[in-house]
Amino acid sequence: MSELSHEAGPGASAPADAAALIEEHISVIEPEDALPRVSLEELPDAMRDACGRAGWTSLMPVQSLALPYLMAGRDIMVQSRTGSGKTGAYLLPLLPRLDARQQNAQALVLVPTRELAVQVEHEARTLFADTGIRPAAVYGGVGYKKQMDALRDGAQLIVGTPGRVLDHLLRRTLSLEHLRLLVFDEADRMLSIGFYPDMKEVQRHLPRRRVHTCMFSATYPPHVLRLAGEFMQDPAMLSLSRKEVHVAEVQHLFCACRPMEKDRLLVRLLETENPASAIIFCNTKANVHYVTSVLQGFGYCADELSADLSQSRREAVLDKIRRGALQYLVATDVAARGIDIPALSHVFLYEPPEDHESYIHRAGRTGRAGAAGTVISLVDVMQRMELERIARHFKINLTEMPAPTDDDVAAVAGARLLTELEARFRKLNGLERLRVARYAPLVRSLTDQDDGGDGELMLAMLLDACHQQSLRESRFPEGLPEQRTDGEGRSGRSRRKRSSRRDRDGEAAPRQDAPARQDAGEGSPANDADGTPHASRSRSGRRRRGRGGRTPAEAAPTEPTPPAQTE
């Protein structure tokens, strides 16, 4: 079935009968107190006129099902894949709700990328033409003036990425005091890019009264469901999916490649998919060790589990899994049996299993407790034939996905890195911004080289270092609290335990621990404006030394550091 979408722009055709399409091709799960579906003819005049301006002759299934809930002001989570017409589903109900006479932001749509922000704004301009309702797109990577002018002119609909929306809120060029509707579009992608901290900061600027909130996402893995619970009150779930693959079930995908390209393909898939956590299955212990080394070399928080490991090493890996401090586990079938990784969204098969039953065992690790899951197999020509036999045997709907290219990876990693840099820049104080500004001329000189120098590559090296650091930090609501360490490589939990132990022994170490943490950061009271430490640091360090000339941090036992975190 060809996919028809209103996102194609004005004049795009639509199915003649949305209800028939729903019954024939789409599996729908509606809330217990479901509202009746609506047709184009049943919409208010203003909404029908808007459909006419866009060239829509009927409603798409997601619009027919979701519009009644949005028109009734009910919080709802809509599961619908990209390109299904969901943009119209949340824009059309705005027509009777937005007041063109009020020059303030009344609706906010948060999207993951600037491209989607521009696309939604364009569609909104078409739907809202001649109504007096003005949309404005705000996103990072560009200047502020045009966006500030649109906000100053009183745009009623704001479409933007969370980071840039937060920038405008902090600059006081945007206020959400009069907000009526909040929409999260493609929430799963926003979390993948790393916008969760920004979304929580935006939440602090929302009115204290209830704001009608809706969420649209292609999938609802655990971290997306957790996000919904933080922004919405008792939301209903409306799920649309193809009848062959239900949203709460597992997607079975495969990528074709040559045998020698599997390691690079796996890295590209991890970059573009960015799972909350995943298991990578291999058939042999040698491949487990090799894949783990590759992932650690690229900076991922990955570790292995195989029969070759000592018992103490296995227990250390299992402990990291239990604490949620390990993002990627590489293992054989035998080693992975009985292991439950929290929020496991993806399973990767570096090679298909040697028997059919093992495929079901591997795939069953994800998609648990009603959450969505994805299984991606990496196959060469012969392995593809074996995988297709497994799919026929178990009647699995197996779908080929295109292998991500270097450009795909660069775009995804670039978007994530830009989000990280914008967040860091917002946290700088005035003195730190002056310090950073000293290097602006050097940046310009490095990027203006005409002799083919290495200036751009040197800047890219610094960006890669920032990206590698972000790989070790959680970008999802559940977090990886035990992965973050202080300057000595100790976990926060271990530090708190030792502090409590020193309290019981009658020592005053906790009071001295605070200066130690201040010394570690730039711009702290222990540092000069340019980051140079005060002379008092060495004196305080000598005061903290105990017997044997060691500091408490050096004397205390430390947890084993995974290879991926070793600098």
Side-chain angles (χ1 to χ4, degrees):
M1 181 187 70
S2 62
E3 297 299 330
L4 301 174
S5 168
H6 291 333
E7 272 88 339
S13 60
D17 189 350
L21 182 59
I22 293 173
E23 297 297 336
E24 182 178 357
H25 295 284
I26 297 177
S27 174
V28 178
I29 296 181
E30 301 183 70
E32 292 182 1
D33 51 348
L35 297 178
R37 301 165 185 174
V38 66
S39 64
L40 179 62
E41 293 73 21
E42 298 171 306
L43 295 178
D45 292 341
M47 296 172 67
R48 285 205 310 272
D49 293 342
C51 292
R53 287 190 290 270
W56 303 345
T57 58
S58 65
L59 298 179
M60 296 291 285
V62 66
Q63 297 163 353
S64 176
L65 288 160
L67 280 174
Y69 298 94
L70 277 83
M71 294 167 64
R74 290 176 55 176
D75 286 7
I76 189 167
M77 298 184 295
V78 179
Q79 180 271 323
S80 182
R81 62 189 185 81
T82 302
S84 60
K86 64 181 183 302
T87 305
Y90 62 73
L91 287 180
L92 282 175
L94 293 177
L95 281 164
R97 299 182 62 179
L98 300 186
D99 189 346
R101 296 169 297 180
Q102 294 185 16
Q103 308 299 306
N104 46 47
Q106 301 167 45
L108 173 63
V109 179
L110 296 177
V111 297
T113 64
R114 68 185 73 181
E115 292 78 15
L116 185 55
V118 172
Q119 176 182 312
V120 173
E121 183 206 25
H122 174 75
E123 189 157 343
R125 289 190 182 279
T126 302
L127 293 172
F128 299 158
D130 303 323
T131 65
I133 299 173
R134 293 190 299 276
V138 296
Y139 46 86
V142 297
Y144 284 85
K145 185 179 185 307
K146 182 179 178 181
Q147 298 175 6
M148 293 171 66
D149 290 343
L151 297 174
R152 191 181 301 111
D153 292 341
Q156 293 89 0
L157 169 62
I158 311 301
V159 184
T161 55
R164 182 52 67 95
V165 168
L166 180 58
D167 281 341
H168 283 289
L169 289 171
L170 296 175
R171 290 169 177 257
R172 301 187 184 278
T173 53
L174 171 64
S175 171
L176 303 181
E177 180 182 355
H178 302 280
L179 196 69
R180 303 177 184 178
L181 176 65
L182 173 63
V183 177
F184 295 88
D185 194 357
E186 300 199 12
D188 53 346
R189 290 184 61 196
M190 279 197 286
L191 289 177
S192 175
I193 290 174
F195 278 126
Y196 175 73
D198 291 341
M199 289 189 285
K200 292 299 292 183
E201 285 296 315
V202 170
Q203 186 181 33
R204 296 174 55 189
H205 294 266
L206 295 177
R208 294 189 178 276
R209 55 180 169 78
R210 177 186 177 272
V211 175
H212 181 201
T213 305
C214 301
M215 183 176 293
F216 290 77
S217 186
T219 59
Y220 281 92
H223 52 273
V224 178
L225 293 174
R226 202 167 284 116
L227 173 70
E230 296 181 20
F231 284 87
M232 309 168 75
Q233 294 182 352
D234 300 322
M237 169 67 83
L238 175 64
S239 168
L240 290 84
S241 61
R242 292 193 180 189
K243 286 188 174 180
E244 294 86 349
V245 181
H246 186 271
V247 63
E249 295 177 350
V250 175
Q251 275 190 310
H252 299 267
L253 310 173
F254 73 90
C255 258
C257 68
R258 291 194 290 265
M260 298 301 294
E261 297 175 351
K262 281 193 176 185
D263 49 0
R264 299 301 299 271
L265 175 58
L266 177 62
V267 170
R268 293 191 188 106
L269 287 169
L270 291 177
E271 284 284 356
T272 53
E273 294 288 316
N274 194 30
S277 60
I279 293 182
I280 297 99
F281 281 105
C282 301
N283 290 345
T284 65
K285 293 179 289 185
N287 278 346
V288 166
H289 184 68
Y290 172 73
V291 172
T292 304
S293 300
V294 170
L295 297 185
Q296 291 174 349
F298 273 88
Y300 296 110
C301 180
D303 214 333
E304 65 182 287
L305 201 60
S306 68
D308 283 346
L309 297 181
S310 65
Q311 184 61 30
S312 60
R313 186 76 177 92
R314 288 172 63 90
E315 290 178 357
V317 174
L318 293 174
D319 180 61
K320 287 192 291 183
I321 293 173
R322 284 190 291 267
R323 292 188 284 111
L326 183 65
Q327 190 171 9
Y328 302 137
L329 175 68
V330 187
T332 60
D333 288 318
V334 175
R337 289 189 183 276
I339 295 176
D340 186 22
I341 296 183
L344 187 70
S345 60
H346 285 66
V347 168
F348 293 90
L349 276 61
Y350 193 74
E351 47 204 340
E354 296 175 351
D355 63 272
H356 293 183
E357 298 298 331
S358 291
Y359 182 89
I360 298 301
H361 162 73
R362 294 177 178 185
R365 293 292 172 177
T366 186
R368 297 187 176 189
T374 302
V375 179
I376 302 178
S377 301
L378 283 60
V379 295
D380 57 27
V381 175
M382 298 302 295
Q383 291 171 341
R384 175 174 179 170
M385 297 171 60
E386 178 60 27
L387 186 65
E388 289 173 343
R389 279 194 291 269
I390 294 175
R392 286 193 299 270
H393 179 76
F394 291 108
K395 296 181 173 58
I396 294 173
N397 181 31
L398 191 64
T399 305
E400 181 174 7
M401 67 179 297
T405 64
D406 288 335
D407 290 340
D408 295 332
V409 173
V412 173
R416 233 171 12 236
L417 185 55
L418 180 60
T419 301
E420 173 70 18
L421 293 175
E422 289 176 338
R424 291 189 183 187
F425 188 74
R426 277 195 300 273
K427 296 177 182 177
L428 298 181
N429 58 35
L431 186 60
E432 290 167 335
R433 294 195 180 205
L434 285 174
R435 197 173 69 203
V436 168
R438 295 179 300 178
Y439 304 106
L442 176 59
V443 171
R444 285 191 291 268
S445 67
L446 291 174
T447 54
D448 290 342
Q449 294 179 1
D450 297 327
D451 57 353
D454 295 330
E456 290 187 356
L457 289 178
M458 286 189 285
L459 290 177
M461 175 184 65
L462 297 178
L463 293 176
D464 179 67
C466 179
H467 177 60
Q468 292 298 315
Q469 180 181 349
S470 72
L471 290 177
R472 297 176 173 87
E473 299 173 355
S474 173
R475 298 177 295 274
F476 299 97
E478 63 268 18
L480 300 177
E482 299 304 327
Q483 191 179 345
R484 300 192 63 175
T485 61
D486 66 6
E488 299 295 336
R490 300 169 297 167
S491 70
R493 185 174 65 177
S494 299
R495 187 173 61 247
R496 287 193 297 273
K497 284 184 177 179
R498 284 192 289 274
S499 296
S500 300
R501 189 161 56 244
R502 286 193 295 269
D503 277 342
R504 292 193 298 270
D505 294 340
E507 298 182 17
R511 182 175 57 83
Q512 296 172 345
D513 217 19
R517 285 193 297 272
Q518 284 182 347
D519 291 347
E522 287 188 345
S524 67
N527 286 8
D528 290 323
D530 61 353
T532 304
H534 283 288
S536 62
R537 174 185 293 184
S538 59
R539 292 196 297 272
S540 64
R542 286 194 295 271
R543 285 196 301 271
R544 286 194 298 272
R545 293 184 182 274
R547 296 178 180 177
R550 294 184 298 171
T551 64
E554 294 167 338
T558 58
E559 297 179 5
T561 303
Q565 297 178 352
T566 301
E567 297 299 335

